[in-house]
Amino acid sequence: MKVMKFGGSSVAERFAQVLQIAEDGGDDTAIVVSALGDTTDQLLRAIEEAREGKKGQSEPALDTLRALVDRSVKVATDALGAQHEAELRELVDRVTADLPRLLSGIAALEECSKATADRVLSFGERVAASLVAFGLRQRGRNAEMVDSGTWTVTDDSFGSAAVLWDESAARVRALAIGWHPATVYVHTGFLGRTRGGRPTTLGRNGSDYTATLLARALSASEITIWTDVPGVMTGDPSLVDEAYPVPHLSYRETLELGGLGLRILHPRTIVPLLESGIPLRIRSTLDPAAEGTRIDAVALGGTARDRPTCVTSLEDVVLFELEGSQKSEGIGIAPRALSALAEAGVDVWFASLAPRGNGIAILVARAQVDRARAALERVFAADEVRGALQKLRTTDDVTLLTLVAEAMGQAPNVAGRFFGALGALGINVRAATQGATSRAISAVVSQADTPAAVRAVHAAFNLSREQVNLLLLGVGTVGSQVLSQLGEQREARLRDHDLDLRLFGVAGRTKAVHRAEGLDPTAAHETLQREGAPWNIDALLDALARLPVPILVDCTASDDMAPVYLAALRRGIHVVAANKKPLADTFAQYTSLRAAARRAHRAYRYETTVGASLPIVETLANLVRTGDRVRLVEGSFSGTLGYLSNEVMAGVPLSRAVARAKELGYTEPHPRDDLSGKDAARKALILAREVGLPAELAQVVVAPFVPESILAHEDLGDFFAALEHFDAAFDERIRGLKAEGRVLRYLARIDLTQPVPTLEVGPVGVPAAHPATRLRGSEAFVAFTTERYAEYPLVVQGAGAGGAVTAAGVIADVLALSQGLRGR
């Protein structure tokens, strides 16, 4: 025997699909159905309209009933054909024949008991089951509707009746003797009857409960619940785009999830399965071919042991906090609070105790807040008056966030990763606990933080690809290349590294555009031009901070970015910068940025500020971190000036070489920023500070590549005209260097061997044996002479200029940061 249960929205919206699935089930299949769509809500509305109508008048309620009948007929007619409309209307009218009388009675009395409400609500399932049975008969199957009240025996707790199992099982078995094996029996869900025959309903998820009770009574081989979702999801799909069905759950995990508010299954639905061992599968009528989620007695094992199952978020809850004072010793706050709530009939969703029970945080449903507050205030009124208890605190804008896994108690660092994911976004945890079963760990967070918290925890446990969100400032040479490379490599990063680099937003000089779901990097520039609006950095950072792994990427050359970095770090946003100016400003600013990153436990990466994508900063940092003593740093830090040096040594006039470098994207927007040597000086200063020197930019002795008189021209036309006039003199200098067997290079030198360390940058002629003579094109290099690398300096060499190279370095910083967060 197999049991299939169909949800109400499936019956209402995919009636033909439901019939096909039921037919494909073959013989020995029992079916349970819920009321169509929002039928139960319509019936509740009819009850309310009857109760609130003028005495003895139930017309509004009957109008609602007529709308329900019309909708039910239309659902089936659309699937079966217009030729069946009259039969279907007659069928539905016959099933609902007693409803007008019941509604009229409610109107006459102007009240409705729970028992009467259960009678009214029973018609929803009866209509649905009758329609499904009729539809199957039209498709050539023998099918009959069965009112589950004929076998589901309950107590008289109307509205949420308790099932009397032994009597119910006996009735099912007695009825089953007369059921024909070739007939499909379509049972109403949700319904029962007392021993005396009065209709009852089983409460929330009652139809699922009916299905598992029927499966147990019939010793079914399997039960399938057909619904709108493809299974139990790893997270709320409305919050987590990457949520996917969990292939397998144990009964115990499912109980845990149901107890935490998982809407798809109520804990009591699982109880008959626990007692019978019957497996349950949740599948979707939207995708019948998908396997869905299987739930059985087998716990997770093997490679899945350290993979949590689901992240749940329970809202519409309120947090109560009770805290003792110095006078509260021995008053037993926690046990008294829990006892008071139990006596008041308040369900406690979560409780976190202070040591020795001297305080407690309790979470209850919003609907029970008034009852809970009254119970707690009544029990602790005297303690508060005498100062043994602080005033009861209530917070109503909270969510219970929970991670559930069968093998959680067997895997290390689950709590660390859980809270680390929240901390990484700056999300405050109001209270926390790990369940007694070791299958769940929960935290109470602000309701406003719910989407970000669910996504962060979901991603942190590899339930999905790691999502990283970037806000790119600057769409010039480097920024444009960053956009291009993000688009080109997106699929490869998703496929090979499970890394989803999302472009949250792009900001130019005056306009910005952003989307929480991400922008297409390949079209971001056009989107910025088309949809961009004046931007406010605080608003952008606030929006970015709500997303998983938020990173501010600065590809500008702006002088005033330090306050932006500090604002980002305060919000828990990582910073990746190609902009060297904030680091090369005052030493106080340099140290404040580094300190702010440490305080915020955020990364501030700036590898590209010195040598494009060359690992110069990281190499030096590793030398210092490992205790090596740096004696001398010497290098060509400017790929631009390295390119120019090579070109003029090859006989190219200086003005033509500079023009070509600008075309290639090697220079700053105005080439004088490179030729002045200030850019190289800033890079040297950054490295000096990385070594530990408290140096200022004014202490760097700078000799420009060309005379200051040429650099004074702001207009590019005047600037290049002045360069042409200087070509002859510069060429003369090159001929002199060649005569001496030397090569022109623009070098920086940080000498720490002197009592007073020196910092110098400028054009020099180096001998043929110098390592800088090997540089080609725009290559940069640096040589570190240290105590460990005394005889043979540690050399880093490679492409040191260009938008594409620098952009690659920026993305490498982003990747290193994100992979580091995942422990990879």
Side-chain angles (χ1 to χ4, degrees):
M1 204 58 199
K2 298 186 295 293
V3 174
M4 291 184 182
K5 182 265 175 179
F6 293 94
S9 58
S10 291
V11 177
E13 297 167 20
R14 291 173 292 282
F15 191 78
Q17 185 73 275
V18 167
L19 296 179
Q20 184 62 55
I21 293 170
E23 188 176 359
D24 292 344
D27 295 336
D28 293 327
T29 298
I31 292 174
V32 177
V33 295
S34 297
L36 280 74
D38 59 355
T39 295
T40 301
D41 289 337
Q42 287 181 292
L43 290 169
L44 286 169
R45 190 181 309 120
I47 291 171
E48 196 61 29
E49 287 169 345
R51 184 164 48 198
E52 293 182 355
K54 293 181 181 179
K55 194 171 185 68
Q57 295 185 9
S58 57
E59 279 306 311
L62 293 176
D63 288 342
T64 297
L65 173 60
R66 280 189 284 270
L68 185 155
V69 170
D70 290 343
R71 176 169 173 265
S72 301
V73 170
K74 184 179 186 305
V75 164
T77 301
D78 288 346
L80 299 173
Q83 70 273 22
H84 295 290
E85 182 174 357
E87 291 177 87
L88 288 166
R89 184 166 296 281
E90 181 184 351
L91 171 65
V92 176
D93 285 342
R94 187 167 64 250
V95 173
T96 59
D98 286 343
L99 255 179
R101 179 181 58 79
L102 284 170
L103 294 173
S104 296
I106 293 170
L109 296 172
E110 294 185 338
E111 66 177 11
C112 181
S113 67
K114 287 185 177 181
T116 301
D118 276 358
R119 289 178 65 87
V120 172
L121 295 179
S122 70
F123 286 90
E125 273 69 19
R126 289 164 62 188
V127 167
S130 298
L131 289 176
V132 172
F134 179 87
L136 286 171
R137 287 195 294 272
Q138 303 314 306
R139 296 173 69 104
R141 295 299 305 271
N142 293 324
E144 292 183 18
M145 186 272 254
V146 176
D147 183 342
S148 60
T150 60
W151 60 264
T152 306
V153 185
T154 73
D155 64 9
D156 59 0
S157 302
F158 299 100
S160 186
V163 174
L164 305 177
W165 166 248
D166 290 337
E167 295 175 50
S168 298
R171 289 200 184 184
V172 169
R173 290 161 189 154
L175 288 170
I177 294 172
W179 291 345
H180 193 281
T183 299
V184 178
Y185 293 92
V186 184
H187 298 250
T188 60
F190 184 57
L191 308 181
R193 288 182 193 168
T194 65
R195 289 189 177 106
R198 301 180 69 190
T200 58
T201 58
L202 304 185
R204 178 189 161 207
N205 291 84
S207 294
D208 292 345
Y209 190 27
T210 299
T212 57
L213 287 167
L214 181 62
R216 182 187 176 194
L218 295 174
S219 299
S221 60
E222 184 179 75
I223 175 172
T224 303
I225 293 180
W226 292 92
T227 182
D228 291 342
V229 294
V232 177
M233 306 297 284
T234 55
D236 185 341
S238 68
L239 300 177
V240 185
D241 292 341
E242 299 81 8
Y244 60 87
V246 180
H248 177 265
L249 285 169
S250 70
Y251 292 141
R252 298 293 179 183
E253 282 176 300
T254 311
L255 277 173
E256 197 87 49
L257 289 166
L260 291 162
L262 184 72
R263 294 177 181 86
I264 198 170
L265 282 174
H266 192 277
R268 64 181 176 177
T269 302
I270 304 300
V271 173
L273 306 180
L274 271 171
E275 296 167 338
S276 64
I278 300 170
L280 177 146
R281 192 175 292 277
I282 298 173
R283 300 174 69 180
S284 173
T285 52
L286 290 166
D287 185 11
E291 290 297 315
T293 300
R294 179 184 169 91
I295 300 170
D296 57 32
V298 181
L300 288 173
T303 59
R305 284 184 56 189
D306 60 348
R307 289 175 64 87
T309 305
C310 299
V311 182
T312 68
S313 50
L314 180 66
E315 300 180 73
D316 289 324
V317 288
V318 176
L319 181 69
F320 286 96
E321 294 174 275
L322 286 162
E323 185 178 351
S325 69
Q326 293 178 346
K327 300 179 181 179
S328 61
E329 183 71 25
I331 68 172
I333 294 173
R336 289 170 61 197
L338 293 173
S339 177
L341 293 175
E343 289 176 8
V346 175
D347 296 320
V348 175
W349 286 93
F350 165 101
S352 179
L353 278 63
R356 302 181 66 188
N358 199 35
I360 190 170
I362 300 167
L363 208 64
V364 303
R366 191 184 301 276
Q368 295 184 312
V369 166
D370 292 340
R371 197 189 315 168
R373 182 184 289 109
L376 293 173
E377 288 176 347
R378 182 175 60 254
V379 168
F380 293 107
D383 299 294
E384 187 176 331
V385 169
R386 68 184 181 86
L389 191 72
Q390 298 183 28
K391 186 174 179 61
L392 177 67
R393 298 192 300 272
T394 306
T395 308
D396 61 3
D397 58 344
V398 295
T399 294
L400 180 63
L401 178 75
T402 306
L403 185 74
V404 177
E406 176 70 42
M408 183 179 294
Q410 304 166 31
N413 199 34
V414 172
R417 291 160 64 197
F418 178 79
F419 292 111
L422 299 177
L425 292 184
I427 293 173
N428 186 41
V429 174
R430 301 295 304 268
T433 188
Q434 183 159 0
T437 63
S438 295
R439 292 187 188 91
I441 185 167
S442 300
V444 179
V445 301
S446 169
Q447 203 169 71
D449 289 328
T450 302
V454 171
R455 287 192 287 265
V457 173
H458 192 273
F461 285 85
N462 294 325
L463 291 175
S464 67
R465 293 157 171 160
E466 182 183 30
Q467 184 187 129
V468 176
N469 290 274
L470 310 180
L471 171 58
L472 175 65
L473 304 185
V475 288
T477 301
V478 176
S480 295
Q481 283 291 328
V482 168
L483 292 175
S484 176
Q485 293 178 28
L486 285 175
E488 290 170 0
Q489 298 297 316
R490 175 175 170 79
E491 291 305 317
R493 278 189 284 268
L494 286 169
R495 182 184 64 250
D496 301 333
H497 304 290
D498 282 340
L499 185 61
D500 183 8
L501 285 188
R502 293 195 181 184
L503 183 66
F504 157 77
V506 178
R509 290 182 181 274
T510 59
K511 297 191 297 184
V513 62
H514 72 280
R515 294 176 189 158
E517 69 273 18
L519 297 164
D520 178 1
T522 61
H525 202 279
E526 292 77 8
T527 304
L528 176 63
Q529 298 305 313
R530 185 176 63 252
E531 303 177 18
W535 54 283
N536 175 284
I537 190 61
D538 287 325
L540 281 174
L541 294 178
D542 285 341
L544 176 64
R546 311 318 306 168
L547 300 174
V549 192
I551 304 178
L552 175 70
V553 179
D554 179 16
C555 290
T556 72
S558 176
D559 292 309
D560 54 358
M561 293 303 295
V564 175
Y565 295 178
L566 292 172
L569 292 168
R570 281 196 300 271
R571 289 171 169 82
I573 298 170
H574 304 280
V575 176
V576 169
N579 185 351
K580 64 189 70 66
K581 292 180 179 177
L583 290 167
D585 205 306
T586 64
F587 183 72
Q589 179 170 288
Y590 169 86
T591 55
S592 72
L593 288 171
R594 298 278 300 269
R598 285 195 298 272
R599 284 196 303 272
H601 301 285
R602 296 296 175 271
Y604 174 27
R605 297 186 68 91
Y606 44 86
E607 186 65 74
T608 53
T609 59
V610 175
S613 63
L614 293 178
I616 293 174
V617 174
E618 186 67 16
T619 300
L620 178 57
N622 285 335
L623 290 172
V624 174
R625 280 195 289 257
T626 57
D628 203 352
R629 294 175 63 87
V630 179
R631 299 301 189 188
L632 177 67
V633 179
E634 189 176 34
S636 175
F637 297 141
S638 172
T640 305
L641 296 181
Y643 171 82
L644 295 177
S645 297
N646 277 318
E647 290 293 288
V648 295
M649 288 300 296
V652 179
L654 176 63
S655 59
R656 193 183 307 166
V658 174
R660 180 61 177 156
K662 189 175 189 306
E663 290 175 10
L664 293 170
Y666 292 165
T667 71
E668 298 293 336
H670 198 307
R672 69 176 181 177
D673 292 336
D674 296 283
L675 298 177
S676 69
K678 290 181 180 177
D679 186 66
R682 290 189 185 100
K683 294 176 180 180
L685 179 64
I686 291 170
L687 291 186
R689 288 173 171 175
E690 292 292 307
V691 174
L693 293 181
E696 302 289 354
L697 188 58
Q699 294 175 252
V700 183
V701 179
V702 182
F705 200 75
V706 297
E708 292 284 357
S709 59
I710 297 175
L711 301 176
H713 294 286
E714 292 188 12
D715 181 79
L716 282 172
D718 294 341
F719 171 77
F720 276 105
L723 271 182
E724 289 182 18
H725 283 105
F726 184 62
D727 278 345
F730 199 84
D731 184 56
E732 181 65 28
R733 180 181 179 187
I734 296 302
R735 285 198 296 270
L737 288 174
K738 288 180 177 179
E740 296 174 2
R742 292 179 175 270
V743 178
L744 177 67
R745 290 291 181 258
Y746 197 91
L747 296 184
R749 184 180 175 88
I750 305 170
D751 190 348
L752 290 88
T753 61
Q754 306 300 317
V756 179
T758 59
L759 286 80
E760 300 174 331
V761 295
V764 296
V766 298
H770 195 283
T773 60
R774 300 194 301 268
L775 299 179
R776 299 157 297 173
S778 62
E779 276 191 318
F781 100 105
V782 63
F784 298 112
T785 302
T786 71
E787 285 186 349
R788 295 173 187 157
Y789 294 90
E791 186 174 356
Y792 301 104
L794 175 59
V795 175
V796 179
Q797 181 177 333
V805 172
T806 304
V810 168
I811 293 176
D813 266 351
V814 169
L815 295 175
L817 189 163
S818 57
Q819 298 293 69
L821 292 175
R822 297 185 78 180
R824 294 186 174 183

